[in-house]
Amino acid sequence: MNGINGFSPRRIGGLASGMNTDEIIEGMMMRSKTKLNQKNQSRQILKWRQDAYRQIIRSTNAFANKWLNKTDSKHNIGNDAFWKLNAASTDSKNFKVVAKNGAMNGNIKVDYVKQLATSETLSSKKFENTFIGTGNPHANATADEKNKYMEAVKSELDRMKKAGLEPSVTVDVDGISRTIKFDFKDEDLASWDKYNEALKTQLKDGVQRNFGSKVTIIDRGNGDFGIASNNKITMKGTLLHDVGIASGVTNKPDIYSSIKNVRGQFGNIAGGEFSFKINGTEFHFSENDSINRIMNTVNSSNCGVKMSFSEYSNTFKITATQEGAIKGIDIEQTSGNLLTELFGVESGSSLSSKSILGGVKAEKAFDFEELKKNIASPFTITMTDASGKKISKVIQIPTRDSKGNKLDYSKYTEDQIINLLDTEINKTFDSKKFNVTVKGGKLEISHRDGALLEIGGYNGDNKMLGIMGFKDNATNAINETAKLSDLGFTAGDEITINNGNKITITDGMTIKDLMDKSGNAITLENGRLKIKADSLTAKGGAADVFGLVKNMDGVGEYKATKAADVDFTEKLSTQFGVSGNAKVNVGGVEVDINSDMTVKQMVDTINAKYEKTNPGKKAINFDEYGNIRFNVAAKDVSGGFLNSIFKTGDIPENSVGVVNTRNAQGKDAIFSINGEEIVKSGNTIDYDGVEITFNNTFNVDGKGPSENITVSSDVDEAVKQIKEFMEDYNKLIDEVKGKLSEKQKYKEFPPLTNEQKKDMSKEEIEKWEKEAQTGLLANDNELTKYLQELRTMMYEKAPNGLALFDLGITTGDWKDGGKLKFVDKINGKTGEEHLREMLTNNPDKVKKMFTDPDNGLAARLDRVNDAAMNTSTTKRGYIANIAGMEGTFSDSDNILSKKIKDLDEEIKKFEASMKREEEKYWQQFTNLEKVISKLNAQSASLFDQMMG
C-alpha cells in the first residue's frame, strides 16, 4: 500500500503467507487516517472562517477609505470641503472661480486687473559654448616632436587601411548624425602642418556638405580652429584630437555630469566644496555632485524657491514660491564660487582648495582575535566637512539581526571584519564615503571627500580604540608645519593672488610659509586651504590642489567677480559706485560718459558716437537674455568705469561685458472688485466666500466693461454624494447581514480530502467547496455586535441636535440590518425633498451634523469601524483580533492564526505517530512472514525425507 500521506513507499508482503498485507495494514490504519482527515478538515474550516472575516474587514476598510479618508475632501463626509453647497460661475477667461462654504448668493463684479502678482526671480547669464575647439594641440611642439607624432599617425592610418577601415568622425546636430570620412593623399602626410591642414579642410567640407549653414567652421589661424553652432553639436572620433577638439564634446551645458568634469561649461567654477544658504536653509555640495542634483536638492527642500535650467535658452533661474513684492530670495554663499558663477552671488570666501587630508592612521597593528571578540564595543567618529559643520556618531556593530537572532562573528575572516566596520560606519553616517582599509597591518579610516576626522572613546571607554590600534582622539588633522610637497605642490609652481602677489613654491616650503607669503589671503581651515581674493592663478601641482580649471598650457585660473544686477533705469553711480565723468575707447572711438547715466543711456551714448564713424553698426547691444554684449573691443581711457562695472578695463570684441543676473523683484497683483481696488501679494483672493484666481490682466485703463461672477445655491452635488454614501453603506450592511443569515452547510459539506478530490472534476470541487463555506459566520456574535453598533450610531444625534431622521433619512427595519433609506413622508414632503430643503435653508447645521470633530456622524462612524476592524498593534479591533489582515502585523498575531498554528503542530505530531504505527504493523507482518517461511522450509524438508 501507499503510506498514509506518503509515510512509506509501497512494500511487498505476503510472499510466504499469501496474505494481502497492503490491504490488511491499510484497514488497520483506517481509524487513524480518519482522525487525520478530521484534523485537516478542522484546519480548513478555520482558514475559511478567517478568510470570511478578512473579506468583511476589506469591505469595511474600502468603505472607510472612500467616505472617511481625511485626505480625500471630495468624498470625506467629515471634511468641510465635502459640504460645498454653492456654485460660482463666470464667462470670463481672465480668472477662475470656485464657491466655498458660506458663499453668499448674488453677483460679484470684477472691474479690472491692472497687474498680476509675480514671484521674485533670479536668472543667470546664458551658458552656451557655441564654439567647440581648443586649438592645435601641437602648435608649440618642436619639429622633432611633430615628426615623431606624424610617424605615429601614418602607422595608425596604415593599420586601418589593412583592416579595411576608413578614418572618420561622426557629427551629431540636434539628433541628426552623419559620418564624415577622410581620404589622405601621400602629400597630405608629408608633414604635421600639411596633415593638420588637410584634416581641417576635409572636416570643414564634410560638415558643410552635411549640415550647411547650421554649423560654422571657424579658423582664425594660429591653431585657433573649431566648430560653432546655435544647435546642439556632439562630435566623436580619435582624429578630432589633431585639430584640438575632444571626442564626445558638446557645445551645450551638461547639468548631469559631476561639476569637476564640466567646470568650464559654467564659467570658472573652482574648488572642491560649495556651501550656501537660501532663505536660511543650508546646502552643502562637492565637486562630485552634478548641477542637476543640486537643483533637485534645493527644490525638494523647504527653502521657498524653485531652481530650474532651460535647455533652450541655456539659462538658470531661481524663482520664489511666494508671489508678490515681498522679498522671496535671500542667498548667502559661504564657500566655493558656484553661485558666483551661476548667479553673481558673492562668496564669503573666494575659494576653497581640495582637501589636503588623508585618513586617520592607527599607531599600532590590531589584534585580529581580540577585534573579533570585542567587535560590538562602541567608539565614536567625529566628521567635520568643508563648511565647518561637525557630525559625531557612535559606531556600534549590531549583535543581533533584524529578526532578533544573535550574530556570531567568531568565524569571520579579517576581510569580513574590515568590511563589517566599513559598512557600519557608512550606515551610521548615512554615507558611502567612508573607507576602512588595512595598510602594513594597521587600520586606516578615511573619507572620500577628505573630511576632517577624529576617532575618540565612548563615555570614557577606550577599549575598542586600543584593540584597533588607535590612540584616543586620533585624527587626520594637518597643521601649518606640513610641507607643501607632501600635499601635491611641486617646486617651481607659481601662484598669483589678485594679479599682483606672485608666490613661487620652493623645496621645503610649509603651509605656514605659504600663508605668510600670501599676506594671510590663504588660511588653513578644516583640512582645506581657503583663499580670500578676487582672483587666483596657479600652475602645475598647485592648480590641482586648488581644483582650478586647466587649459592647454597647464594654467588653472579662478577669478571671483561680482555680477551686476542691471537695472536699465537706475544710475551708474547707484548700481556700481562710480562717480564723476569717464572716457572710454570703444572700437577706436572715444566716448564721454558720466555717473548720472543709466545703463541704457550709457549704451545709447556709446552706440550713437560709434555709429557716426561706422554707419549702421552698433558697438554694444543687449542680447535676448539681458546681457550687455560688446561687438567691438573696449577699454578705459580715464575714470575706470569699465573696470568698476565689468571687473575689467579691457574688453575684447564679441564678448559679454556684464554677467547680468537679472534679479526681477516680485510684484503684487492690482485689481478692482465691486469698485474697490485691491493690492495683493498673490493672484488668488477669497472674496465673500468665492475663491477668485486671476490669470490675465484686462481693462487695465479701467474704461472698459467689467466681468461678472454669479453665485447660486447648488445642492444637487451634495444630494448625489449623500445618496451614493447611503448606497455604499447599504452594500456593506447587506454583506455583513448576509454572512450572519446564511444557512450553515459545512457539516453537510465537510472539506474534501485529497483522495476525494481525485475522483471529482474541477467544477464539482468548486461547487462543493462553495457549499462548504456557506454559513461559517452565521449568527456570529462579533459581527452581530458590529451591526448593532452601526445601527445605534446612526440613530444618535450630533452635538447640534440633528440626527439623520431630521434630514429625511431613517435606518429602517432591524431585520434589514439598519440600512439607510429616505422616509416616505416628513412635513408633507418626501425624504429626498426634505433633504434638499435642509441643505438649502440650513447648510451649516447639516454640515456640522456630519463634521463635528468629536461626535459628528463621520467621527462616530470612524470610531465604530476602528473598534471592530483596526489592525494596528496598539489598538486592535475585536474582529481584527479574531482574524487579522494580510500585510499588517495582525496577519499572524490573531486568534484564528494561533489556532491554525496549534493545529498544524498537532497534525505534525499525529502524522509522526501514524508513521510509527504503520512501521510497527509492517514489522509485525514481516516477522510473521519469516516464521511462516521457516515453517514452510521445515515442512518441505520433512516431505523430502519421507518421500526419499
Side-chain angles (χ1 to χ4, degrees), residues 635-647:
K635 63 181 180 180
D636 280 319
V637 176
S638 64
F641 274 24
L642 294 183
N643 188 57
S644 297
I645 297 171
F646 306 122
K647 294 297 181 183

Side-chain angles (χ1 to χ4, degrees), residues 738-757:
K739 289 296 180 183
L740 286 170
S741 58
E742 280 181 348
K743 181 181 177 181
Q744 293 183 342
K745 294 186 178 181
Y746 63 88
K747 293 180 180 179
E748 301 173 39
F749 296 87
L752 297 169
T753 65
N754 291 334
E755 286 80 1
Q756 289 171 328
K757 287 182 180 180

Side-chain angles (χ1 to χ4, degrees), residues 690-731:
V690 178
E691 184 179 87
I692 308 172
T693 301
F694 300 105
N695 49 44
N696 288 306
T697 58
F698 76 95
N699 195 19
V700 175
D701 59 7
K703 297 179 181 180
S706 59
E707 297 187 348
N708 295 320
I709 300 170
T710 301
V711 183
S712 58
S713 297
D714 180 13
V715 299
D716 287 345
E717 183 63 23
V719 171
K720 177 185 173 183
Q721 290 279 47
I722 291 173
K723 289 170 73 175
E724 186 179 342
F725 166 79
M726 292 167 63
E727 289 173 5
D728 287 351
Y729 178 82
N730 290 344
K731 286 178 184 178

Side-chain angles (χ1 to χ4, degrees), residues 51 553 919 929:
D51 292 341
D553 61 5
E919 288 293 338
E929 290 293 324

